[in-house]
Amino acid sequence: MNLLAFCTVATGLAIGAALLPDYYVTVLNYVGLYTLVTLGIVLLTGVSGVTSFGQAAFVGLSAYTTAIISASFGLSPWLGLVVGLAITLVAAGILGSITLRLSGHYLPLGTIAWGLSVYYIFGNLEYLGGHTGMSNIPAVYLGPWEIAHSREFYLLIWVIVLASMLLASNMLNSRIGRALRAGKESRDTAESFGIDTARNRLFVFLYAAALASVSGWLYTHMLRFLNPSPFSLHMGIEYLFMAVVGGAGQVWGALLGASIITVLKEYLQEFLPRVIGQAGNSEIIVFGALIILMLQVNRDKGVGALLTRLRLHARLKPEDGNEEPLARRARSELASGDIVLAAEEMSKSFSGLKAVTDVSFFVRRGEIVAVIGPNGAGKSTLFNGITGLVPFDQGRIVINGEALAEVSPRKVVALGVARSFQHVKLVSDLTVLENAMLGAHIRSHGSSISAALGLSYREEARLRNEGQRQLARVGLGHVLDAPASSLSLGQQRVLEIARALCADPDIILLDEPAAGLRYKEKAELSSLLQELRASGVSVLLVEHDMEFVMTLCDRIVVMNFGHKITEGSPVDVQSDSRVIEAYLGVSAA
Ligand code: ADP
Ligand code: MG
């Protein structure tokens, strides 16, 4: 379906090349150039959650590089393309490694500072022609053919744009795309399933800069004249507009947004001066209004969301199960009774508040252990400490005999500990099946390049199979294609269990898995966990439903005010006076 859409657009563009008057061909050339840059913003902002106002500066960096190489030094524009790309990537690498670590508003602010400074450098360097610019930039030759006229450029631009869109779309429909979306929604979740979010963010930052760079090169040799104004912060903001209007979460949004804004701008620049009576950028007011309207009506999905409803973008096809299964996670052999997970003397305080104090316990292979205790006892903090989401002040974790000097979520999941969250953390942009497949990220290895070229379809099929298998196991086999956000809260919790199982864990940590489940669903969850125990997977859970805990668990650890107050079988714990006291708040004696 996706390919069909591409072919339709390509055919339309080819017919356009033959039939349209020159003026429209030129407009479409600009649409193409803007689409390239906006595609980068779609990947960066819409998919990965990194807002950049600095893309126009990357366009300019490569534009000036190729202008210097071809006009000042008289070398080939193709060399200009390569050097421009290299310089852009180095600049983006440096900028990215500084700004991407910043949180919240600092990152967009960093890109604004970058966009402003590059613009003023272009304008103030005599050598670059200052604000007057550079002219006499040579044409591009493709072998013996000179690409000089707008119709020739039209072909070059649109071949590059469509190819870039196809590659990006393939990439987004792969494990990398899911990992990027997961990182946007919640870095904790992504890291907990083995995704290196910092590396991914830097990767898309470079990718987006490269797209901007290609656009800058095309622009320079199409116009054969250069001044700083198209690379200003103003233009950086306009690229963001395009992404937001078109639909920042999807590849088609780039084309839509670039088309809408470009055409609207042409029209408004004609129309507004007649109404308002002055020339100069008044279209920005209309764009601003448009953005506000867009955000009101459609949140951050843009016009592209309409396309999603028409199902123009690829949906995963469930597999029939003929594919060979996904390779299991590498692990040392465990005998039953071996200790899978041990926490030793763990302590954590939050600015003076002792959330967990000196807690030790262990879980054996094939055992179901519960941590219970009143609200605020420190159960979730303990879970977050074990899985590396909260750094502990003291104590250590031993997983399958390996003592961890430093606990990080990626390390923990690689060693066989997968988890769910007390406050459900699913990726709402993805389907139920895709969310489950995220869990198997560490069991797959396809690179972004092979995904972009469409070469990782075998692994994708295996990932789908695994996702489907685990979803069927937890009783969600009938809603594979539904958006994760459409499930009931209880189903979302169960989906988190399927996602954890996709990691092929030795132990799963479930933080209040039965909360919000109905009676029948709880019974089903209970038998699922028993089945897991029988298959050798250990379970560590936090739960408030005492009937659920007492009938299911082998052992129970009881916490209160951050301390472990006792530990034992359900029968022992139920009759322990300290436990009764903790729950009732009165002395049992
Ligand atoms: P439980 O899961 O047993 O209900 P938590 O582990 O969530 O308990 O919380 C234990 C204590 O630590 C509570 O008093 C809570 O307010 C506090 N706490 C938890 N997380 C944080 C945090 N990130 N910052 C400050 N205090 C926290
Ligand atoms: Mg909790």
Side-chain angles (χ1 to χ4, degrees):
M1 194 63 189
N2 211 9
L3 202 60
L4 187 68
F6 270 105
C7 294
T8 313
V9 172
T11 314
L13 286 165
I15 295 172
L19 300 182
L20 287 174
D22 281 350
Y23 167 75
Y24 291 102
V25 169
T26 305
V27 171
L28 281 173
N29 282 347
Y30 278 102
V31 170
L33 295 177
Y34 296 156
T35 302
L36 270 183
V37 185
T38 310
L39 180 59
I41 298 184
V42 161
L43 297 172
L44 202 56
T45 307
V47 174
S48 317
V50 178
T51 306
S52 168
F53 291 93
Q55 296 313 103
F58 289 121
V59 180
L61 201 56
S62 124
Y64 273 98
T65 306
T66 192
I68 292 168
I69 285 183
S70 60
S72 309
F73 295 154
L75 298 168
S76 160
W78 294 104
L79 185 67
L81 174 64
V82 174
V83 177
L85 262 173
I87 290 181
T88 310
L89 288 177
V90 169
I94 295 170
L95 182 69
S97 43
I98 301 168
T99 54
L100 291 176
R101 264 182 287 141
L102 303 177
S103 56
H105 300 308
Y106 290 111
L107 193 146
L109 285 178
T111 61
I112 288 177
W114 152 256
L116 277 176
S117 40
V118 170
Y119 172 69
Y120 284 110
I121 288 172
F122 292 149
N124 289 325
L125 284 186
E126 279 302 313
Y127 182 65
L128 300 179
H131 285 282
T132 334
M134 297 173 78
S135 48
N136 295 326
I137 295 166
V140 175
Y141 281 83
L142 199 61
W145 297 290
E146 185 187 33
I147 304 180
H149 295 290
S150 60
R151 235 167 255 279
E152 293 153 4
F153 252 98
Y154 178 92
L155 287 179
L156 183 62
I157 289 173
W158 282 100
V159 165
I160 293 176
V161 170
L162 287 182
S164 305
M165 286 175 63
L166 194 57
L167 294 178
S169 154
N170 281 342
M171 195 178 75
L172 287 188
N173 288 318
S174 76
R175 73 191 278 274
I176 303 292
R178 289 188 295 274
L180 292 174
R181 291 191 196 278
K184 177 190 179 190
E185 189 102 6
S186 152
R187 279 200 232 180
D188 282 357
T189 317
E191 293 275 335
S192 295
F193 287 97
I195 295 163
D196 187 342
T197 52
R199 187 164 157 253
N200 280 351
R201 283 153 71 91
L202 186 59
F203 165 71
V204 269
F205 198 68
L206 294 175
Y207 196 107
L211 288 170
S213 167
V214 173
S215 177
W217 179 79
L218 286 165
Y219 174 83
T220 307
H221 294 286
M222 181 177 87
L223 230 63
R224 301 174 65 179
F225 162 80
L226 213 54
N227 73 19
S229 61
F231 315 122
S232 65
L233 186 62
H234 177 137
M235 198 57 211
I237 295 172
E238 218 162 286
Y239 285 127
L240 258 179
F241 274 10
M242 292 180 193
V244 173
V245 168
Q250 47 204 318
V251 166
W252 288 102
L255 177 56
L256 268 176
S259 311
I260 292 170
I261 296 286
T262 309
V263 171
L264 205 60
K265 199 169 156 182
E266 281 290 308
Y267 172 75
L268 290 174
Q269 280 174 347
E270 281 271 308
F271 174 76
L272 282 182
R274 274 189 258 156
V275 181
I276 304 178
Q278 61 180 27
N281 295 344
S282 35
E283 72 274 5
I284 208 94
I285 301 166
V286 178
F287 291 165
L290 196 64
I291 294 281
I292 292 169
L293 188 74
M294 211 75 230
L295 295 178
Q296 284 296 323
V297 177
N298 219 350
R299 296 306 297 277
D300 57 354
K301 297 203 170 57
V303 179
L306 302 174
L307 286 186
T308 321
R309 278 186 210 127
L310 295 174
R311 299 207 147 223
L312 259 175
H313 87 269
R315 281 268 167 236
L316 291 178
K317 284 187 292 295
E319 291 303 302
D320 55 12
N322 286 336
E323 198 66 38
E324 60 179 295
L326 198 62
R328 298 203 62 186
R329 192 175 49 76
R331 49 152 66 79
S332 46
E333 271 313 306
L334 294 170
S336 89
D338 280 355
I339 292 177
V340 179
L341 174 73
E344 297 177 358
E345 297 172 355
M346 297 185 65
S347 298
K348 172 71 188 176
S349 48
F350 295 105
S351 48
L353 175 97
K354 289 185 169 175
V356 173
T357 311
D358 223 4
V359 172
S360 304
F361 69 93
F362 62 85
V363 183
R364 294 184 194 281
R365 176 172 155 87
E367 205 178 25
I368 301 180
V369 174
V371 178
I372 65 169
N375 273 327
K379 307 178 298 291
S380 292
T381 305
L382 187 64
F383 267 34
N384 290 337
I386 292 170
T387 51
L389 290 178
V390 167
F392 257 65
D393 304 333
Q394 269 163 39
R396 63 173 202 166
I397 303 294
V398 184
I399 301 171
N400 290 325
E402 184 170 334
L404 301 188
E406 201 158 322
V407 188
S408 77
R410 272 185 275 142
K411 174 95 182 154
V412 166
V413 71
L415 288 172
V417 180
R419 66 169 296 170
S420 73
F421 294 88
Q422 179 177 350
H423 304 287
V424 175
K425 292 183 177 184
L426 294 167
V427 186
S428 51
D429 281 359
L430 296 180
T431 64
V432 170
L433 178 57
E434 288 168 320
N435 267 285
M437 287 161 71
L438 258 181
H441 188 85
I442 47 161
R443 298 167 65 191
S444 53
H445 307 282
S447 70
S448 43
I449 295 173
S450 74
L453 295 174
L455 299 176
S456 52
Y457 58 93
R458 299 287 304 266
E459 187 175 76
E460 278 296 303
R462 289 197 284 270
L463 283 167
R464 281 201 290 276
N465 260 331
E466 181 67 7
Q468 257 187 296
R469 197 166 71 89
Q470 302 299 353
L471 285 168
R473 197 173 179 189
V474 302
L476 288 177
H478 57 292
V479 285
L480 300 178
D481 257 351
S485 51
S486 71
L487 299 185
S488 70
L489 182 63
Q491 285 177 316
Q492 293 191 11
R493 288 191 180 285
V494 174
L495 170 53
E496 283 214 343
I497 298 176
R499 181 175 66 184
L501 290 176
C502 280
D504 191 18
D506 294 324
I507 179 168
I508 55 174
L509 269 55
L510 307 176
D511 199 346
E512 307 200 6
L517 295 197
R518 283 177 296 229
Y519 184 77
K520 186 163 161 283
E521 292 170 327
K522 279 186 189 177
E524 284 164 3
L525 176 63
S526 184
S527 48
L528 169 68
L529 297 184
Q530 287 172 48
E531 182 206 312
L532 287 177
R533 167 169 59 189
S535 71
V537 177
S538 310
V539 180
L540 176 65
L541 57 89
V542 166
E543 188 45 61
H544 287 296
D545 183 328
M546 283 306 133
E547 193 193 332
F548 184 87
V549 169
M550 296 301 166
T551 53
L552 176 68
C553 296
D554 301 302
R555 268 185 314 120
I556 296 171
V557 172
V558 189
M559 288 180 72
N560 197 16
F561 295 118
H563 293 268
K564 179 170 102 173
I565 54 174
T566 187
E567 177 183 345
S569 69
V571 176
D572 293 343
V573 161
Q574 270 170 304
S575 56
D576 191 306
S577 61
R578 285 163 299 181
V579 178
I580 297 166
E581 189 182 331
Y583 271 91
L584 299 180
V586 293
S587 170

